[in-house]
Amino acid sequence: MAAEAPQRVVSINLCTDQLAMLLAGEGQLISVSRIALDRRVSAMADRAQDYIINAGRAEEVHVMRPDLVVAGVYTSRDTIAMLRRLGIEVVLFDIVKSLDQVRMRIQEMGEALGRQDAARAMVAQFDADLATLRSEAARGGAPGPNAPRAALYYANGYTSGENSLANDILSAAGLRNAPAEAGYDWGKLPLEILALIDPDLVITSRRYPGGSRAEEVMDHPIVGTMRGQSAALTDQDWVCGTPFVLRAIGDMADARRSVEATSAGTGG
């Protein structure tokens, strides 16, 4: 006999917040993390207002009397250990590094919540929508050796290489990951290398209010010379492995078409 579905679920991680909100049954999810309210990183900030907000502390979670807590593998180990000592079941979800893993996390959340049918339906819709986006890119001749080359360039000069969700998003949109092709995986991309790579498109993260020293590198003149072809990440759609990554693919496909139109207009 299948285990009874949990009736009082608390999420203490941004990515599990969103998967749980998408899949939970009526009244099943009672609380999400405060980060779910942050529009800069949460694709469901409006929806999150319907739930009790938690700060991810074991004491406050225990008071809610959950029969299941969902969290990320990098959630505080002390918090997870305390919750388990208190007799609360905790299910941990790994970070997502590919589009295939988006599908896996949906299924895993469906299992945790006892919402397998809803998860299967969501995966089917995700696969159909992703196939449509990939088909559109293929009709335009991308991805391929002549597809526009994009460079992801975040605060502190970080980039995402081949083994990343961001790389899969670029590929599905018909773009090539220029730093990855140059042998750079996740980590800092020196400005000199960015200039040598000379991508067709520089994709930067959206700025936080007030700015920060970590973001100053994106104001460097070398980056400025490339801003004729640039796009800003819709961070809330890229951060977690949820169906919202499809919006990120659509945005990048629009950016690709803009680059292609400019290249055609200049005879490039």
Side-chain angles (χ1 to χ4, degrees), residues 149-153 159 178-179 184 189-199 201-203 217 222-224 226:
R149 298 162 56 252
L152 295 152
Y153 203 64
T159 191
Y184 277 81
L189 178 67
L191 278 167
E192 297 85 352
I193 300 299
L194 179 65
L196 287 171
I197 289 173
D198 191 23
L201 179 67
V202 177
I203 303 167
V217 67
I222 290 177
V223 180
M226 301 180 182

Side-chain angles (χ1 to χ4, degrees), residues 9-30:
V9 179
V10 172
S11 171
I12 57 175
N13 168 270
L14 171 65
C15 297
T16 57
D17 290 339
Q18 295 177 87
L19 284 173
M21 283 190 279
L22 287 168
L23 285 170
E26 183 71 28
Q28 186 181 28
L29 178 65
I30 61 174

Side-chain angles (χ1 to χ4, degrees), residues 40-116:
R40 293 165 295 194
V41 294
S42 173
M44 301 182 72
D46 289 335
R47 178 86 167 270
Q49 297 177 45
D50 295 336
Y51 300 91
I52 298 170
I53 301 301
N54 70 72
R57 294 188 296 265
E59 298 88 342
E60 64 176 331
V61 172
H62 180 246
V63 169
M64 296 181 205
R65 298 180 292 105
D67 49 7
L68 174 68
V69 171
V70 290
V73 293
Y74 293 109
T75 298
S76 166
R77 292 183 180 181
D78 290 340
T79 298
I80 299 305
M82 176 63 75
L83 290 170
R84 286 173 170 164
R85 283 199 297 270
L86 291 169
I88 299 171
E89 181 182 2
V90 181
V91 175
L92 300 180
F93 290 75
D94 205 348
I95 60 174
V96 169
K97 296 182 180 180
S98 69
L99 290 173
D100 282 341
Q101 289 181 4
V102 173
R103 181 182 301 104
M104 292 168 58
R105 297 297 173 271
I106 294 171
Q107 293 169 332
E108 289 167 4
M109 183 61 76
E111 287 289 334
L113 300 180
R115 298 276 295 168
Q116 292 90 341

Side-chain angles (χ1 to χ4, degrees), residues 184-252:
Y184 277 81
D185 202 350
W186 192 91
K188 283 191 175 183
L189 178 67
L191 278 167
E192 297 85 352
I193 300 299
L194 179 65
L196 287 171
I197 289 173
D198 191 23
D200 301 299
L201 179 67
V202 177
I203 303 167
T204 60
S205 56
R206 288 186 172 177
R207 306 297 184 90
Y208 273 65
S212 69
R213 298 189 71 175
E215 294 173 330
E216 288 177 359
V217 67
M218 292 187 286
D219 293 323
H220 193 280
I222 290 177
V223 180
T225 62
M226 301 180 182
R227 284 185 177 159
Q229 292 293 346
S230 65
L233 298 177
T234 49
D235 296 321
Q236 65 270 31
D237 294 336
W238 294 66
V239 170
C240 294
T242 73
F244 293 108
V245 299
L246 296 170
R247 294 197 308 208
I249 295 170
D251 289 343
M252 291 301 99

